[in-house]
């Protein structure tokens, strides 16, 4: 099992990774950050990203049988980069979300998604 700091170091080793945030999904607070981008306000980003995930879950649940849905990951593309969000059920204090922002010119989105999935599996293994 990877620790939080080791996990973020591995996330930042993904080609094209600019920054990463581990978010407590319940409170919307940043638990840890990686990358050190001076443009990243980790607390604002964490709050906004947790709201995006919550709104997406609520919207998709309306159309799902039984009214519930589980998101494996989300990809958001912007002019500034590609954003990957992966919800986690951790051995820590509840649901977390790992977010990584990728340089659109230096990253491979499919590879980054695969690496993030592998890393998140290592993080949540008991």
């Amino acid at each position: 099992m990877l620790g939080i700091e080791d996990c973020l170091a591995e996330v930042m080793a993904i080609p094209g990774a600019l920054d990463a945030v581990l978010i407590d999904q319940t409170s919307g607070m940043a638990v840890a950050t990686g990358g050190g981008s001076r443009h990243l306000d980790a607390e604002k980003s964490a709050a906004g990203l947790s709201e995006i995930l919550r709104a997406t879950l609520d919207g998709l649940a309306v159309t799902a049988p039984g009214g519930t849905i589980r998101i494996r990951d989300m990809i958001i593309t912007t002019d500034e980069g590609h954003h990957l969000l992966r919800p986690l059920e951790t051995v820590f204090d509840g649901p977390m979300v790992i977010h990584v922002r990728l340089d659109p010119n230096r990253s491979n989105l499919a590879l980054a998604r695969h690496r993030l999935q592998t890393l998140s599996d290592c993080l949540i293994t008991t």
Side-chain angles (χ1 to χ4, degrees), residues 23-27 88-90 93-97:
I23 304 164
D24 178 322
Q25 189 175 340
T26 304
S27 68
L88 310 168
E89 284 296 328
T90 66
D93 293 330
M96 301 278 191
V97 177

Side-chain angles (χ1 to χ4, degrees), residues 52-75:
I52 288 170
L53 187 59
R54 190 170 303 129
T56 302
L57 279 167
D58 290 346
L60 292 173
V62 172
T63 62
T68 60
I69 193 161
R70 182 174 164 253
I71 293 177
R72 290 180 42 193
D73 56 25
M74 287 178 61
I75 300 169

Side-chain angles (χ1 to χ4, degrees), residues 41-52:
D41 180 336
E43 291 303 322
K44 275 187 174 180
S45 293
L49 291 166
S50 64
E51 284 300 315
I52 288 170

Side-chain angles (χ1 to χ4, degrees), residues 4-5 8 20-24 29-34 42-43 97 99:
I4 292 173
E5 296 303 319
L8 285 177
V21 180
L22 184 63
I23 304 164
D24 178 322
M29 296 186 67
V31 174
T33 61
E43 291 303 322
V97 177
H99 165 260

